[in-house]
Amino acid sequence: MIISWLVGLAGLAFLAANCPMRKLAEADHTTSAFYGAYAGSATIVGGTLAAVAWALISMLAVMPSWPLFIAMTAAAVASTWHARQLRFKKKRARYGFEKLSLFIITLAAVIAILTTVGIIASVAVESVHFFSQVPINDFLFGTLWSPQIAIREDQAGAGGAFGFLPLLSGTMLITVIAMTVATPIGIMSAIYLSEFASPKTRARIKPVLEMLAGVPTVVYGFFAVITLSPILRDLGESLGVTVAGESALAAGLVMGVMLIPFVASLSEDALFAVPESLRQGALGLGSTRFEMVIKVVTPAALPGIVAGILLAFSRAVGETMIVVMAAGASANMTANPLEAVTTITVQIVTLLTGDQEFDDPKTLAAFALGLTLFFATLILNMLALHVVRRYQERYD
């Protein structure tokens, strides 16, 4: 309601400042649309500041909403009046509009950063509460994950164990399987689309490939449960190998299929951005087309390809739905892909499902897992940025 009111006022301010004025020719340096844009952006800035002030005051005392609507309306009227005065005096409105635009995009960037910092701070605070009840060494180096807490003093087998390593091993096992599938297929698909496919074929296949990246992960999870897991189990029985109904192999394979569009699309963009002069130079020196791709184009596009792979790796580490449907929730510390495992994200969902005491170690463990996962993905993203900047080729 508040946002709709502010947007409506900004639109009215734009129209009021932009409408023709009697006996006033348009200035040579500024069109009438700039005066309207100036009034609209000034309304948004003034209304937003009024909304922030109203929200801060409401945190201290109960405040009705009508003062906010009046303040926003006053901001719109004042902005419109000032814009029309500038127009009447034939003063420039472009510079004021640019300053307001810069303020708005800067404010948006600050809000995004502060939101991220607030999320990290809230997770970190709850993680500190968790580590005040569970030693950090037991969490980081423990090999048993059983977050069940005894309700009664005489209850057996529910003392609670928060060893992180089984979850880390399950996460890495499924991620490695997925990247083993996605990386080669994705890169080869990218090379075909960029270097060998005709423009007509590329224009048809590329959108389809990018469309696959938008398929909900629950669809991949159903495919793993209904189709792939029975096939793997039957294949294992025919070979005399025991394959669990929910296995890391099934989850990893399906996740790899899901990641192929990510790797292929990002790698294809990097390959396509390589200057045509490098290709022509390699061919002019007698290279075959395949030699040109392997020895010239791919090394030149390597930073973009590596960045795409690392981003897909981060996506695999954070995936939840496919794992919970295809790999189960057993915290087994194993390297056998035929057994059921679980991952960090699945356990976060499990810990926060149902009625929980907020100060209970079982609930607080989810925040510790989230903080650990955050730092893991942060390191991967920083590594991707370092690779891009370190090996980035610049062409004149």
Side-chain angles (χ1 to χ4, degrees), residues 141-167:
F141 304 108
T143 58
L144 179 62
W145 176 263
S146 179
Q148 300 300 323
I149 301 296
I151 300 176
R152 306 184 308 274
E153 294 183 357
D154 58 344
Q155 185 174 348
F162 297 93
F164 172 68
L165 291 181
L167 309 185

Side-chain angles (χ1 to χ4, degrees), residues 75 99 167 203 210 288 379:
K99 290 179 181 178
L167 309 185
E210 293 176 344
T288 64
I379 292 173

Side-chain angles (χ1 to χ4, degrees), residues 41 85 235 333 340:
S41 58
Q85 289 297 314
L235 182 62
M333 190 172 176

